[in-house]
Every structure is written in C-alpha cells, then in structure tokens.
C-alpha cells in the first residue's frame, strides 16, 4: 500500500532546490513576458522535473500546480516579483500531498500495488495533448450552440490518440487516468456557456447535473466580479506606481495572504 513508486516517479521534480527552481522560473517569466497576464497563469511542475508557466494544459493528479500570483509579492511601488517564503509554503504543501498515504490510494492508482507507469506521459506528448485539448475547448467556448456531448466525444478521440485505452476506444467513455485542468475559465460568459451546455445534455438524458438550480447568470457574474485585483490587475499596478494609494508601509505586499 506504500507510495514508494509514486514518490520515485516524481523524484526529478521533488528535489531539494525545487523552491529555488520555481523562484527562477517565475523571475525569468516576468523578465521575458512582463506581468500583464500573471493573474491567469499557473506554475506547473511535472513528474519529469519540468517546470512551466501557462494558462492551462494536461495536468497530472500529483503535479505541482499553483497560480503564479500565489507565489509572488507586489511592493508599494508596483513591482511584481517571486516571493521565496510563499513558494516554500506551496512546496511544503505539495510535498505533504505527494508523500502522505491515503486510505483510498489503492483506488486512485497511487499505491505500489496499483501504480501504473503508463499513466505518465513524456513532456513532448504532454505538450501536444495539451494543445489539442485547449484547441477543442476554445472551439467549444466559441460555438454559438455548444454541445457538451460532441465536445466530450472530441476529447475522448484526443485521449485515444495518446493512450492505448480499450475503454475509450470501445465505449466512448472518458478515461481520466491522469488529471487535467485544460483551460482556466476566467469570465462569466464562458462559464455560462459551459453550464448551459451541461444542463442541455442533462435535459436530453445524456448525463447527471451537479449544477445548483439557483445558480443563475447574476450569481455567475457576481462570482467572477469577486476576483478583486485579478479583474483590474494592470489598473491596480498603475495606481500603485503612481502613488494613488498614498504612503504605504515599506514592507507592503499587495498580494499578502490573509
């Protein structure tokens, strides 16, 4: 029942200098790409040891995965940079999750008896898988009448390109042997489309609904409006840089955790 195989699989990522590597990855990204899109990006660490920053992709269930801004600070002059203390905190949380056995491990395929190396794709295949998934998600969200069943079948076809899965090939059933967070939904309209497509599929007898019946468009818009600084990120940075908040303490961190 141990997790020794899973832990060994992530050894290339779970190194003593992981926090420093993440710090360097964030710092390099800001230097090369600026800060405008940071509220919509995540740091992903794979079993291969690869660290990347993106707005989504195919994710392993035990990958390191946190929003970039959760590991940054913003000083009183509007400078944004990686914060080692916050990074170390996330690394500690991730390591505990990776190393701590759970009573359901045998059903999750992560104990030594059920662990399967074939569930882990190499980086090149993972990047291509992610690109296909994100392209399909983008098409789905841009459709005037998105069909969740057609979308699901398209995702299954993509899965079958990357996995030798008789389950997916024979029955069309999605085979989530590795976790995913393909594309972050960061606006009310896209979220509404997704919810309405799911509800339409349920109404046609195609599945089960987990959607709150009181979850109307007003509540969706309110949910996304509650994003705070993320929703007006660059305006907030501009206000800081131009001193519109008055005198702030020297140790000010606009992204300080509550």
């Amino acid at each position: 029942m141990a997790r020794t195989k899973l832990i060994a699989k992530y050894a290339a990522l779970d190194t003593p200098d992981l926090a420093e590597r993440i710090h360097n990855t964030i710092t390099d990204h800001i230097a090369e790409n600026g800060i405008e899109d940071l509220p919509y990006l995540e740091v992903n660490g794979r079993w291969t040891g690869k660290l990347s920053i993106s707005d989504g992709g195919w994710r392993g269930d035990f990958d390191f995965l946190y929003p970039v801004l959760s590991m940054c600070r913003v000083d009183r002059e509007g400078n944004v940079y990686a914060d080692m203390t916050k990074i170390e905190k996330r690394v500690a949380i991730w390591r505990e999750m990776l190393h701590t056995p759970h009573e359901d491990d045998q059903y999750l395929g992560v104990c030594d008896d059920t662990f399967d190396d074939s569930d882990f794709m190499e980086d090149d295949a993972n990047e291509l898988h992610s690109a296909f998934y994100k392209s399909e998600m983008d098409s789905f969200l841009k459709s005037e009448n998105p069909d969740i069943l057609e979308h699901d079948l398209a995702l299954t076809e993509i899965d079958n390109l990357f996995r030798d899965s008789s389950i997916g090939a024979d029955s069309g059933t999605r085979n989530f042997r590795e976790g995913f967070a393909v594309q972050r939904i960061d606006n009310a309209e896209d979220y509404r489309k997704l919810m309405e497509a799911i509800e339409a599929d349920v109404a046609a007898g195609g599945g089960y609904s987990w959607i709150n019946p009181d979850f109307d468009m007003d509540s969706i818009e309110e949910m996304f409006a509650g994003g705070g600084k993320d929703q007006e990120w660059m305006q907030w940075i501009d206000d800081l840089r131009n001193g519109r908040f008055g005198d702030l303490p020297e140790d000010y961190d606009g992204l300080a955790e509550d």
Side-chain angles (χ1 to χ4, degrees):
M1 294 296 292
R3 287 188 176 196
T4 55
K5 293 181 180 179
L6 176 69
I7 294 169
K9 195 69 177 180
Y10 275 89
L13 179 63
D14 190 15
T15 58
D17 65 342
L18 177 57
E20 182 180 350
R21 290 165 53 207
I22 294 170
H23 187 281
N24 292 340
T25 298
I26 296 174
T27 299
D28 291 346
H29 179 88
I30 291 175
E32 295 173 10
N33 302 282
I35 65 171
E36 185 172 354
D37 294 330
L38 289 186
Y40 314 107
L41 302 178
E42 301 161 322
V43 176
N44 178 219
R46 304 196 68 239
W47 66 274
T48 59
K50 180 180 178 179
L51 290 168
S52 63
I53 293 179
S54 70
D55 62 352
W58 187 264
R59 312 303 200 190
D61 289 333
F62 289 86
D63 284 1
F64 180 93
L65 184 65
Y66 287 95
V68 173
L69 286 186
S70 72
M71 294 177 284
C72 289
R73 66 176 292 126
V74 176
D75 66 20
R76 60 182 178 176
E77 297 179 350
N79 299 309
V80 184
Y81 46 91
D83 185 291
M84 183 60 82
T85 299
K86 294 178 184 176
I87 294 171
E88 289 176 340
K89 179 179 179 180
R90 269 72 189 175
V91 168
I93 293 171
W94 173 75
R95 281 191 173 129
E96 181 178 8
M97 180 272 295
L98 179 70
H99 288 264
T100 304
H102 188 276
E103 61 182 4
D104 292 329
D105 278 358
Q106 62 179 342
Y107 307 112
L108 299 175
V110 297
C111 74
D112 289 351
D113 295 332
T114 61
F115 186 81
D116 187 352
D117 278 301
S118 67
D119 290 349
F120 295 84
M121 286 185 288
E122 296 290 343
D123 290 333
D124 289 348
N126 184 78
E127 289 182 9
L128 190 57
H129 200 179
S130 295
F132 284 7
Y133 254 73
K134 292 180 70 176
S135 177
E136 167 57 29
M137 177 65 82
D138 188 55
S139 297
F140 172 77
L141 292 175
K142 288 181 179 178
S143 172
E144 292 185 3
N145 298 295
D147 186 315
I148 196 71
L149 179 58
E150 290 183 2
H151 176 59
D152 199 53
L153 290 173
L155 296 181
T156 299
E157 290 180 4
I158 294 172
D159 285 347
N160 291 337
L161 289 174
F162 290 89
R163 287 187 170 82
D164 181 16
S165 170
S166 60
I167 296 178
D170 292 343
S171 66
T173 301
R174 295 298 309 287
N175 183 21
F176 293 113
R177 294 197 299 177
E178 189 174 1
F180 76 103
V182 176
Q183 179 169 308
R184 292 183 66 180
I185 304 296
D186 51 37
N187 65 81
E189 183 60 24
D190 284 350
Y191 196 88
R192 178 191 63 78
K193 276 191 172 184
L194 180 61
M195 296 299 100
E196 288 183 351
I198 293 174
E199 287 289 72
D201 186 49
V202 171
Y208 298 95
S209 175
W210 45 266
I211 302 172
N212 186 328
D214 298 326
F215 207 57
D216 56 17
M217 192 58 188
D218 288 340
S219 62
I220 293 174
E221 290 178 347
E222 182 179 351
M223 177 179 67
F224 282 97
K229 299 182 183 67
D230 288 7
Q231 303 302 312
E232 301 173 349
W233 168 249
M234 291 308 295
Q235 179 59 56
W236 177 64
I237 293 294
D238 185 68
D239 289 342
L240 278 172
R241 291 175 175 175
N242 287 279
R244 297 190 182 104
F245 298 119
D247 292 331
L248 297 171
E250 187 174 350
D251 62 350
Y252 172 80
D253 177 10
L255 297 174
E257 299 170 319
D258 297 332

